[in-house]
């Protein structure tokens, strides 16, 4: 017997039970569901629908259920369609008739929306905490890798020299934005639909502000149809997580390439690598590869629910049950991804010498063009002169710094003795202390600001 | 201790173990993995690498593992990274040293690709079987709903009368194409990569054709790098399933709308509907809504893996481990979706009278235009004349069939006595016995063809 | 000759020119590019790189280019790879040598990122304005449809009576959240990367705060690598637009269903409908269908760029050029979608009587259950009693309101004379004046709050 | 005035015209639409609806329109909603009344479905041709790079030595499968819906087989509702193109990495590279990056239309108009991508020596393990022994080949004099002549088979 089958003359088909049943995944909401039941009982009592004795009985029973859950003692039965029905059943078994009153004036429609919002709030808050942990990790790396000069890349071609700290800090600032997205999503989830009933508003004018306070919501929803029908907060959460995953995948790609023998810039710690079942010499950056791969999955979860939601009329359709699995999966995955990435970055070994050895002297070409520009050669012309110079060096397999002043002058009369001073990495960096640049002073200013944002001592 | 950590000086981090471990989902491949082990042992024996005694021991142990699996007696341990390592471990525990020989000349790279292809082949074959079941269901409905005349819709506006059988048959022909897609995907999966080793080909020249025969593959892969790196068969399978799910979602949408009180064309059987926790009168077509919603999920699974695969170099990267969960999920979901849809369609009740009552006389407008066309009025002009007629009827709230010939003649002198015979549903249908049309003869021809394709008696 | 081919010994292939060329779509950034050029010239002048005369010449030439653009007089040439190169070429043609100085200290990498951020800011601001327009439209409808009582739906089954205004207002509050998302995306775009150079920071320490002020940016980017590599603002914008499109698609779905003859709740204005080329009687809600369909496209644009960005290392790769077309398309589409939706909603005709006639008396079932609950019957039991009552009515084809008190008492002794007063729509609404409910007072409170948020007079 | 507005009392809104208008993109179907008109006129004539004179007039006018189109002389007008209406208008302008007869018995619904299928057939056929071109290119590279021994990679770590030809051939076989997918999609599109009318079948029993023959379709659709409603052929085409794009993106990723200074395996021809606007030394593999990036777009196009189609009831809704832009875009993009990739691969320069210099001696580790296995050491133990050996070499910075037999024996007594012969690349390759392996003989067999499949002389 179902809790809702008064009007039905035939039993639900077994296969339909299975197809329809959401307990396997929505039981993750058990703590939220108990919290909502507690608050709702309080509101019914305030309204005179439950006596003080009934309230006490209910709260005590709910505490018992929570305890049982924490001790792994909850036993679900085949008939439990979802976590809401399961809790109501267990409650009724524990306290009898009073349990049958708990669903007064509410519907699973507003109940599940409230549970889910509580869950999203908690999860986003934890994700934000993990972002902050990663920011601290990245900041620490930036502080320790200040003396590592490396090629900055565009198109995976060496472009200009940068301090490795600058690279790490680029991630810091990106994370700052992802964090802000998480906070916005959290604010959008922080609206309580409870009291919306099935769609028209509860027929019992319970105190919704009291409920919101009990459950820690910032505000109550303004419209009951919106309250039960809207899932934009799920979509935004999935989008925030996908964006974060994509960000991590970009850095994972770099670090995987840097882990190759050919680049040899970093080596993952053994504890974050794996070997091959066949090739004994292999050491693979599997942790980073999985991270990168999982970004696709997070995008898939977003697409999955977006496509489900698209074109779905109001208010509640069972299609909406498909919001949960992608959401829970994305939350679970990004959490472990953040943890793993933090540990990988913390423990990786930077091969400073190998990096420096690999710096291509041509990296200074822009600086030479800038040098000429400062000598009144229009930039576009300077660019062309240095292009020819580069071409000459490549053809003759010599380095720019090996060219004599005389030879240089063949390319432009503006070359002068002072050019020699330009041709080293430290000078190149020193030229870039513009705010946001890779000059050491600029990088240190970034670190100072980052530490302040993280509330770390200066 | 790992099976591959000879070169490592440090243990894998606990979190990394968890992150990297795929056993939780790839254990679904256990039967395929055992089959591959059996075949591989046979090939090693043929090559003289295993003695007859060793082969016998291995095959017997593998049989035991299979038996244990079927009896739910397999016990995995924390150290089992994936199903391949787990089986190898159990095998070695059972038979000692000989177990250590089973991985000779192969890699998890070719092993997992082979397991997965076997699994896809089996799954697609089952899905095709379920498509055929649904085709039979649809065909049966078409046979029983031959006397139901209903409005055919475009833009959810009544357009022209059709026989309901014609509607069901539209699904039959669509499924015919989806089945063909499934068969193509199956053929693309039916290529055996075993013997590819890690990427370069096994160092032991085992007989790959023998292996293919043992495992039931149509052919062997031509290139070992392609053998371990390619996952286009996964992508195609996900695409085939998404296409099928989208098809079902379209019919689910119609049936949901038809289940509304306002349409009232069909009523789902109680056993395939659910009620409301709050509103006692409700009977909801949840089964169809879930079906519709899950189409989004199938699309999400495709997107997930497509995005993971995009831009992934050769040959094997751990990113590829992310092929499994979307694949297994899509296979599981579409299978139950097909089962459910077949049952829903079989058991639903068609409300013939309510449908007929709802037919809008304006549905005959095209036929009136065609009537004029046959009287030498160019179609474009006939269309305009009937448009004006319709507008007149709507404004004056009368039905076209209520207009006298005299009134009709005001719109066009070509109207004649014979027009009256045009204005009924049966005539409208009879005009459409063109192949593929909704005329009864045409529909019956479709049924005959469909039954032949299904090998049903005529 | 290219502006960058100093080091190349061979010309670019014609096909490569075509493949690589982005002018066809990035010319939409022309105004932003000119603005950036203006500001950059100012900064170079402040730094002493341009003389006052050169600055004047450049600014005047840029004004001329802008004027030409507005008059449709810009002529691009085949060699123009993108809008940046085109503007630089035209500038140089106009003023000679000084034009060659404009690219001093900057790169197309920071230039395009800046242009694009300006464009996103402008576009999001316009989208937000259109959201507000739609909110006003929706609010106006809510004010005028206060007397339309309609069935509220779950699962497309009549669930409980609601005021149509309540339905419209659900959209208002949803839009409020979408607006907030737009504002957040705008804030994330409001960071100026100019001065980042190719990736390492400009070699000329121009005043970036001055630039930000000139261009109206709230702040400057903290890290040059992040400045040129990050496109999370594009992803967020695409996500915001997809979310908004999905929201509109949900209401479009409802309105399409309501436009059917079978529902007959609304009729689109002729000016927002189309006819059929074949069937003269047809009037189709094409505007709403296109809106609904285009939501898929907006999701596709998001997926497109998300998949492109995933796994892309730092800093700039040409893959990033693929950010523009989906972005421009989504912006263009959502803008017209909002405009169209506002007009459709404004002009549609609500068929009040037809709606009221369609209200199913069973809609009051929840209220009857609530009635019993107030008589101390536990809700779960009351639900079952009313379920049986409903089943009885359906079987015997009678309406609940037709049952005598005596008959009612057979279902529960708690039924009493006062039940009769419950059985009408106005009473049902009056029971739902809980905040957010569909009671008239509650709905009017929503309107008041909505008007305040829109700064409309009360 | 519209061709369909007989029943409308109000003009279409200007904005609605713009929103609804599809001419901007569906004019690409002009040749298909003319072909369909030709065939349809023929069928109407066969049926006696057009006189021979009318037919002649129509065919001659259609030829004129086609000629005008090819000469760029077609002038569309503001009122042309789509290509079908435009052609009908132009036709009517040319020949008067007879033009008004062309739409007899058909609808834009079956017309556009037919046009689109013709277009898809043509496009897929061209794409297949370009795949074959690329296969030839790849085959030619395989033939010329037979002497390039390179590291095969897993996880971007050197794994085992392979012949570069083997790498190229892996692409050949992948393309073989993509081609098969294209052929299947083509077959699914090769079904003619013409004669389906709006949805119920044409009211004029024209000879559909004649039409199919005229238009080159393999068969006619069996069901008119399916004929106008189905777009699975579009979805499959988008999926086929996405799969192909993803394949190319994987090879593009490798080639981009190989173009880096650090790998230095290949250099793109100058004609397929670009430079930097700022950094004179840069040479970037933009062609490959764009290719890689565009794979995301192809996925986006698929998602776009899949989401649009999902949950869309039958038969025709305007949502379906959104099938065209993603389809046309994907076709256009993949065509140029294939062309570009073929040219890039043909013209790239392989740096044979640099590749060989980069081979890591540890690549032979698997072969040493295999060596031990052949000496009766179980593989799992051999793997561990060689793992320890590798670890020893790395710690002491020596190469395996530098170890004396004595030292080797410390790791396993099974090492013997014959081990020395194992330690070179040629031997390693020679061990892998298993079918599909990277041994030279195996690779040559692949080339022979590939040439046969391409119908190239042996």
């Amino acid at each position: 017997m179902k809790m809702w089958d008064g009007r039905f003359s035939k039993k639900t088909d077994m296969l339909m039970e299975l197809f329809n049943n959401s307990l396997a995944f929505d039981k993750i909401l058990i703590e939220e569901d108990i919290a909502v039941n507690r608050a709702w009982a309080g509101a019914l009592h305030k309204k005179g629908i439950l006596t003080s004795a009934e309230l006490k009985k209910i709260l005590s029973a709910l505490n018992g259920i929570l305890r049982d859950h924490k001790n792994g003692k909850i036993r679900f039965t085949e008939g439990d369609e979802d976590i809401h029905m399961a809790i109501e059943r267990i409650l009724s078994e524990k306290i009898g008739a009073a349990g049958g009153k708990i669903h007064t004036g509410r519907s699973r429609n507003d109940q599940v929306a409230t549970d889910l919002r509580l869950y999203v709030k908690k999860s986003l808050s934890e994700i934000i905490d993990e972002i902050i942990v990663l920011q601290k990790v990245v900041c620490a790396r930036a502080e320790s890798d200040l003396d590592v000069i490396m090629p900055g890349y565009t198109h995976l071609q060496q472009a200009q020299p940068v301090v490795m700290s600058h690279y790490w800090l680029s991630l810091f600032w990106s994370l700052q934005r992802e964090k802000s997205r998480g906070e916005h999503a959290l604010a959008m989830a922080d609206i309580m639909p409870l009291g919306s009933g099935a769609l028209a508003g509860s027929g019992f004018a319970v105190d919704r502000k009291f409920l919101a306070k009990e459950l820690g919501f910032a505000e109550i929803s303004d419209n009951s149809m919106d309250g039960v029908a809207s899932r934009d907060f799920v979509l935004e959460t999935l989008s925030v997580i996908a964006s974060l995953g994509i960000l991590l995948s970009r850095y994972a790609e770099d670090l995987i390439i840097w882990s190759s023998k050919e680049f040899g810039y970093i080596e993952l710690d053994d504890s974050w690598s794996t070997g091959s079942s066949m090739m004994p010499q292999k050491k693979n950056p599997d942790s980073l590869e999985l991270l990168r791969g999982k970004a696709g999955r997070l995008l898939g979860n977003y697409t999955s629910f977006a496509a489900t939601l698209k074109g779905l009329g109001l208010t509640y359709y069972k299609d909406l049950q498909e919001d949960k699995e992608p959401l829970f999966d994305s939350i679970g995955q990004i959490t472990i991804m953040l943890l793993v990435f933090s540990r990988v970055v913390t423990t990786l070994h930077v091969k400073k010498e190998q990096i420096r050895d690999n710096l291509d002297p041509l990296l200074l070409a822009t600086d030479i063009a800038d040098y000429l520009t400062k000598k009144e050669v229009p930039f576009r012309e300077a660019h062309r002169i240095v292009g020819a110079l580069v071409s000459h060096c490549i053809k003759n397999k010599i380095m720019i710094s090996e060219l004599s002043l005389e030879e240089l002058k063949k390319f432009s009369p503006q070359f002068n003795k002072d050019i020699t001073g330009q041709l080293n990495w430290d000078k190149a960096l020193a030229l870039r202390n513009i705010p946001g640049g890779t000059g050491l002073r600029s990088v240190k200013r970034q670190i100072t600001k980052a530490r302040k944002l993280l509330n770390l001592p200066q």
Side-chain angles (χ1 to χ4, degrees), chain A residues 408-428:
Chain A
L408 284 171
K409 274 186 181 293
K410 282 186 203 151
F411 290 89
S412 169
Q414 305 295 336
F415 280 114
N416 214 319
K417 267 199 295 188
D418 56 358
I419 178 64
T420 50
Q422 301 298 331
L423 299 184
N424 69 70
W425 310 125
D426 292 330
K427 188 67 200 302

Side-chain angles (χ1 to χ4, degrees), chain A residues 45 58 73 131 160 174 183 219 403:
Chain A
H45 172 248
I58 287 176
K73 283 195 195 150
I131 293 177
Q160 294 182 330
S174 296
E183 285 158 356
E219 47 181 317
L403 294 172

Side-chain angles (χ1 to χ4, degrees), chain A residues 169-276:
Chain A
L169 287 163
S170 71
L171 177 54
F172 179 89
W173 301 112
S174 296
L175 288 168
Q176 196 67 6
R177 296 189 299 276
E178 301 301 339
K179 200 167 58 182
S180 172
R181 288 184 185 106
E183 285 158 356
H184 188 270
L186 200 154
M188 290 296 101
D190 204 6
I191 302 169
M192 187 196 71
L194 199 60
S196 298
L199 79 156
S202 175
F204 297 81
V206 294
D207 184 345
R208 296 186 67 210
K209 292 210 168 141
F210 162 81
L211 282 166
K213 210 179 143 202
E214 286 290 298
L215 290 168
F217 277 103
E219 47 181 317
I220 62 171
S221 62
D222 286 290
N223 181 293
S224 57
M225 295 182 89
D226 181 33
V228 298
S230 64
R231 289 293 185 278
D232 47 283
F233 72 99
V234 174
L235 204 57
E236 184 175 358
T237 304
L238 288 169
S239 156
V240 162
I241 293 174
S243 180
L244 182 49
I246 287 169
L247 176 67
L248 298 184
S249 79
R250 299 186 69 184
Y251 286 82
E253 166 91 355
D254 277 348
L255 299 180
I256 290 165
I257 292 175
W258 296 358
S259 297
S260 68
K261 174 182 169 294
E262 291 73 12
F263 275 75
Y265 287 8
I266 58 166
E267 186 176 347
L268 293 211
D269 194 76
D270 276 9
S271 56
W272 294 96
S273 308
T274 57
S276 154

Side-chain angles (χ1 to χ4, degrees), chain A residues 245 249 289-299 333 336-337:
Chain A
S249 79
E289 296 165 38
L290 263 176
L291 263 166
R292 182 178 60 182
K294 280 178 190 293
R297 174 181 189 147
L298 303 179
L299 170 55
Q333 295 292 331
I336 192 166
M337 285 164 73

Side-chain angles (χ1 to χ4, degrees), chain A residues 39-50 101-102 104 204 206:
Chain A
W40 189 250
L44 289 181
H45 172 248
K46 274 193 78 180
K47 202 72 201 166
I49 297 161
L50 293 179
K101 289 190 168 182
I102 190 70
T104 309
F204 297 81
V206 294

